Amino acid sequence: MKSALITGITGQDGSFLAEFLLEKGYDVHGTIRRSSVDFRERIAHLEGHSRFHLHYADLGDSMSLIQVIGKIRPDEIYNLAAQSHVQVSFDAPEFTADVDATGVLRILEAVRQCGLAKTCRIYQASTSELYGKVEQVPQSEKTPFHPYSPYAVAKLYGYWIIKEYREAYNMFCCSGILFNHESERRGETFVTRKITLAAARIKQGKQDKLYLGNLSSLRDWGYAKDYVECMWLILQNEKPEDFVIATGEQHSVREFCQLAFHNVGIELEFKGEGANEKGIDKATGKVLVEVSSDFYRPTDVVNLLGDPSKAKRELGWNPTKTSFEQLVKIMVDADMAKVAAERESERVKTNLAAYLEKGIVK
Ligand code: NAP
Ligand code: GDD
C-alpha cells in the first residue's frame, strides 16, 4: 500500500485529493493546524476511515514537519498548504513568504534529513499567478514569469527551489502550475464562491446586494475535482517535470456573475463603467451588483489563460471534463441548497422561540 502525505488537507484541493487517493487505495495522511474553532468541515466525512490519518504540523515549523515526515516516511508528498489568498498577501506579506516560499524549502529539507530524498516524490502546488503581469497569452510551461503580488513572489521561490532540489539532489519533485480551479468547497472569499453564494442568498431573500472589485478580470476557471487527478498523474510520470494545468478557456468575472445569477433565474444586465458599473436585474430594474474599491488590489492579474497541451499529451489528462457552464451550475446548486438549509434551521429556531414564549413548549 502506498502512503501519501497531504499538507493543506483541510483546504479545497486537499479534501478532494484525500478522497481521490483513498479511492486509489493509498494510506492517506494529512497535516492540520490547531485552531480555536473547528475548520475541518471539508474532511469531516473522511474522519474515522481506517486509511485516513491526521497530524499536527505547520509549514512555518520545521520541527513539526521533520517529525511527521520521519514518522510516516511517505512515498508521496503533496504540498498544498499555503496562505492562498492573493489579496490577503498584500496585508500579510511576511507570513505569506514564510509559508508559501520558505515552507516549501522546509518540506524539501525535512525529506532530505529523514533520508527519503531517493524514495519520496513531491508535488508542489504552483500557480498561474506566477505569470502575473502576463507577457504572453495563452501561458504555457515556456512563458516567462512576472509575479505581481506578494503571494506570487513567494510562490515563485517555491517553484524555483523545487527545480533546484530536483537538479542538485536528483529528487523527484515537480510543480503543477495550476490555473484557477473552483468548486462547491471553494473558500467563500474567492470571487467565484462569493458570487455563487450571493446569487443563492439574493434569490432566497437573505442578501440585498453583492459588492465586487475588478469585473473585467479574466480567468481560466476549471473544476477542482478534475484538477487533483492531475496532481497525482504528475507524480506517476516517468520523469519529474512541471506541468501547466488549465482548461484553455477564458471568462471574465462579469460573465461568471451573469451565468451564476442566470442559474438562480435572475437575468443580469451590466451598465456603466469602472467603479460606476452596476449589475441590474432585467426583470425588476433592481441593482444587485455594485463595484467597491475595497476589493481592488494594489496590483491585479487580469489576463490568465492556460495552454494545457503538455498535460493532455504527456499525462493523457482531459482538461474539459467539466465545462465552465457545468462548474457554475454545480456551485450554484450547492449554494442554493446550503442557503435553503440555513433558512430552514432558522425557521425551526424561530418557531421554537415563539413556542417557548407562548408556553406551548415547556
Ligand atoms: P485553500 O482552500 O486556501 O487551502 C489552503 C490549505 O493550506 C488549508 O488546509 C490551510 O489550513 C493550509 N495552511 C495554510 N497555512 C498553513 C501553514 N502555515 N501550515 C500548514 N498548513 C497551512 O487552498 P486551495 O484552493 O485548496 O489551494 C491549494 C494549494 O494550491 C495552495 O497552495 C494554493 O496556493 C495553490 N493553488 C490554488 C489554486 C486554486 O485555484 N485553488 C490555483 C493554483 C494554486 P487551515 O484550514 O488550517 O487554514
Ligand atoms: N476575491 C475577490 N473578491 N476577487 C475579486 C473580487 C472580489 O470581490 N472582485 C473581483 N475580483 C477579481 C480579482 O481582482 C482577481 O482578478 C479575480 O477576481 C480572481 O480573484 P480570486 O478569486 O481571489 O482568485 P485569484 O485569481 O486572485 O487567486 C486564486 O487563483 C490563483 C491561481 O491563479 C487563488 O486560488 C490562488 O491561491 C491561486 O494561486
Side-chain angles (χ1 to χ4, degrees), residues 10-13 33 58-59 80 82 84 151 155 178 181 186:
T10 54
Q12 169 189 259
D13 292 5
R33 298 188 292 168
D58 194 301
L59 249 66
L80 309 186
S84 73
Y151 166 81
K155 283 281 185 179
L178 269 59
H181 44 281
R186 185 60 144 149

Side-chain angles (χ1 to χ4, degrees), residues 106 147 219 232 289:
R106 292 188 184 105
R219 286 291 182 276
W232 177 76
V289 182

Side-chain angles (χ1 to χ4, degrees), residues 7-14 31 33 39 42 57-60 79-84 95 99-100 125-128 151 155 178-182 186-187 190:
T7 69
I9 199 161
T10 54
Q12 169 189 259
D13 292 5
T31 64
R33 298 188 292 168
F39 274 125
R42 294 188 181 105
D58 194 301
L59 249 66
N79 183 35
L80 309 186
Q83 190 302 94
S84 73
F95 172 74
V99 177
D100 299 11
S126 282
T127 166
S128 48
Y151 166 81
K155 283 281 185 179
L178 269 59
F179 282 62
N180 297 51
H181 44 281
E182 318 294 314
R186 185 60 144 149
F190 294 98

